Amino acid sequence: MQTIIIQPMTAAAFAPFGDLIDCSGAADKIINQGLCGRFHDRAQMDFADGRAGISLFRAEPRHLPLSLEMVERHPEGSQAFIPMSEHGFLVIVAPDDAGKPGQPLAFETAPGQAINFHRGTWHGVLTPLHAPGLFAVVDRIGDGANLEEHWFETAFQVVRP
């Protein structure tokens, strides 16, 4: 079994796979009588067709070490995961290698960070590490198949350093 070491989530490391959504840097605009900073347009939603929809997901927390057996991708649209709690979560991605996932990588977000997977990015399933595992998800709503799964011949073990 190969081991994947979890690394901290950074915008630069995650850029090939999607957008890190957070409040880093100065706010783009100050609104609401100067009481609110707007961090504007932090993710690029991308849909082949259909429309953007907001859904709520409640996922069971997972425990480490984690056995990674499968990744998936959505060829018709990007997918943003916005935690509705003060906990980070595990994000697993893999580069595309001629239509199949390459070597997976694992990131752990910090509290206050959300992510948006680029359209077609291989990724693990939603993996909260703490209850309640509640997320707002912005993704494509439309006709046609938008899910492709890949099951690994040998599972990977995902661990903290």
Side-chain angles (χ1 to χ4, degrees):
M1 181 180 290
Q2 293 185 50
T3 300
I4 301 168
I5 305 295
I6 300 169
Q7 51 190 300
M9 177 63 77
T10 66
F14 191 65
F17 309 102
D19 307 301
L20 176 61
I21 305 168
D22 66 4
C23 292
S24 61
D28 298 292
K29 298 177 184 180
I30 303 299
I31 58 174
N32 298 343
Q33 296 84 37
L35 300 175
C36 180
R38 178 177 174 147
F39 294 80
H40 186 70
D41 199 21
R42 291 289 167 131
Q44 302 299 311
M45 303 307 295
D46 177 21
F47 307 116
D49 61 8
R51 62 177 176 81
I54 300 174
S55 303
L56 298 181
F57 288 21
R58 183 176 291 133
E60 294 291 323
R62 306 294 180 95
H63 303 284
L64 297 174
L66 177 82
S67 179
L68 176 67
E69 299 174 328
M70 183 270 295
V71 291
E72 62 184 33
R73 67 178 173 179
H74 307 285
E76 300 299 321
S78 56
Q79 191 175 44
F81 290 88
I82 305 162
M84 296 176 66
S85 71
E86 290 294 322
H87 300 288
F89 60 104
L90 187 64
V91 178
I92 298 172
V93 293
D96 185 72
D97 185 9
K100 294 189 176 182
Q103 177 67 37
L105 300 168
F107 299 96
E108 187 171 355
T109 66
Q113 291 181 324
I115 58 100
N116 176 54
F117 292 121
H118 290 157
R119 180 163 49 126
T121 294
W122 290 107
H123 63 86
V125 299
L126 179 57
T127 311
L129 298 173
H130 304 276
L134 185 61
F135 290 77
V137 178
V138 180
D139 63 355
R140 175 188 171 270
I141 307 297
D143 294 331
N146 189 29
L147 175 64
E148 182 180 344
E149 294 180 343
H150 177 86
W151 291 82
F152 296 110
E153 290 183 24
T154 303
F156 293 87
Q157 184 178 46
V158 181
V159 299
R160 284 198 170 101

